């Protein structure tokens, strides 16, 4: 198996974008368990693009239609990462599918087994935006991410240049006033560098998640207002 073959298979399974990260770029990143990455050398980052419709009505928090779409895309991502992991194991390699939401999520610290965003940045799916979301040149932040870890000897891609520049759309729109406006050429040393994280966590988990029909710690405002995502929606007619 090579990177070209894996990319073709992932696209056939429903991915919108596929890139491979060298796990050496993620050395020292926090994982659960701490030795999660030990058996693997590569991570396949998989993105599924969100539809524009559910994002169109977001103003100051999540809507029921956005929450429904979020859950539906998570189901598709779960099938995608499990299907790709099965492809690797079928060829004799070790692989682990990391789903977009798992039973391993730490609701106190808001950490999963591994940051899908960190993998996506290392793989070049996109760059890390000022709100911590991954911003892709094709879809902006209007993507959901999944990851497959493997020991298959794939040729890795690499990070791409941050293109947020002086844009402050997400900073100004954030209903929690949580985004500090800092920028990075790679990955923030900690999320506190980019966010007043507790403001964000409290709004999403204690207020937004309790709204009728939401039942998830989501917001969507920074995703909806990003000019990169809006540009994609205009060009594609989505």
């Amino acid at each position: 198996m090579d990177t070209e073959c894996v990319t073709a298979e992932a696209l056939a399974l429903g991915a919108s974008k596929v890139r491979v990260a060298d796990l050496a770029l993620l050395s020292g990143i926090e994982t659960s368990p701490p030795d999660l990455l030990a058996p693997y050398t590569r991570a396949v980052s998989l993105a599924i693009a969100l539809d524009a419709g559910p994002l169109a009505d977001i103003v100051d928090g999540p809507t029921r239609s956005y929450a429904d779409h979020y859950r539906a895309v998570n189901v598709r991502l779960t099938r995608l990462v499990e299907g790709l992991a099965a492809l690797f194991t079928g060829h004799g390699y070790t692989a682990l599918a990391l789903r977009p939401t798992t039973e391993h999520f730490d609701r106190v610290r808001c950490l999963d087994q591994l940051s899908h965003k960190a993998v996506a940045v290392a793989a070049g799916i996109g760059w890390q935006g000022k709100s911590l979301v991954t911003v892709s040149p094709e879809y902006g932040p209007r993507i959901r991410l999944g990851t497959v870890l493997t020991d298959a000897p794939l040729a890795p891609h690499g990070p791409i240049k941050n293109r947020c520049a002086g844009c402050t759309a997400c900073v100004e729109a954030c209903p929690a006033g949580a985004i500090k406006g800092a920028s990075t050429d790679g990955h923030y040393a900690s999320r506190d560098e980019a966010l007043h994280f507790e403001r964000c966590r409290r709004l999403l988990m204690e207020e937004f998640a309790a709204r009728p029909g939401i039942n998830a710690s989501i917001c969507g405002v920074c995703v909806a207002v990003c000019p990169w995502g809006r540009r994609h929606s205009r060009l594609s007619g989505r």
Side-chain angles (χ1 to χ4, degrees):
M1 293 182 69
D2 58 20
T3 298
E4 184 176 351
C5 171
V6 169
T7 299
E9 290 288 347
L11 292 173
L13 287 169
S16 301
K17 187 172 182 179
V18 188
R19 301 273 287 190
V20 177
D22 182 347
L23 285 178
L25 294 179
L26 296 172
S27 177
I29 193 171
E30 186 171 2
T31 65
S32 178
D35 62 350
L36 176 72
L37 301 183
Y40 311 106
T41 56
R42 298 288 185 263
V44 183
S45 182
L46 303 154
I48 291 182
L50 300 174
D51 292 340
L55 287 157
D57 295 330
I58 291 177
V59 177
D60 58 357
T63 62
R64 187 186 294 264
S65 64
Y66 177 64
D68 289 344
H69 186 50
Y70 172 91
R71 283 186 280 268
V73 173
N74 280 352
V75 171
R76 290 168 54 195
L77 268 172
T78 296
R79 293 172 181 160
L80 173 58
V81 295
E82 289 177 347
L84 193 62
L87 180 69
F88 283 121
T89 57
H91 281 76
Y93 298 107
T94 301
L96 177 65
L98 300 181
R99 300 164 183 83
T101 55
T102 77
E103 66 274 14
H104 301 281
F105 186 72
D106 184 333
R107 291 184 59 82
V108 176
R109 302 172 64 215
C110 296
L111 293 173
D112 212 330
Q113 288 174 279
L114 173 67
S115 169
H116 295 292
K117 297 173 187 175
V119 173
V121 170
I125 287 281
W127 61 90
Q128 189 153 49
K130 294 175 182 178
S131 65
L132 291 185
V133 297
T134 302
V135 184
S136 72
E138 299 88 351
Y139 307 106
R142 299 181 177 210
I143 51 176
R144 293 286 295 149
L145 300 168
T147 304
V148 176
L149 303 176
T150 184
D151 61 354
L154 304 176
H157 301 98
I160 62 176
K161 181 179 175 59
N162 187 312
R163 304 179 195 176
C164 286
C167 178
T168 59
C170 63
V171 179
E172 295 164 9
C174 177
I179 304 172
K180 296 180 178 180
S183 190
T184 178
D185 289 330
H187 191 272
Y188 293 103
S190 76
R191 58 194 180 189
D192 292 327
E193 185 180 347
L195 297 180
H196 298 286
F197 184 75
E198 184 58 22
R199 296 181 190 175
C200 178
R201 187 206 67 80
R202 188 181 303 115
L203 185 63
L204 268 62
M205 300 188 76
E206 297 179 10
E207 181 178 330
F208 287 169
R211 290 183 177 180
I214 304 302
N215 195 31
S217 299
I218 57 175
C219 175
V221 172
C222 61
V223 175
V225 301
C226 177
W228 284 93
R230 289 187 166 185
R231 173 179 178 271
H232 161 69
S233 293
R234 288 196 302 272
L235 292 177
S236 66
R238 289 172 62 113

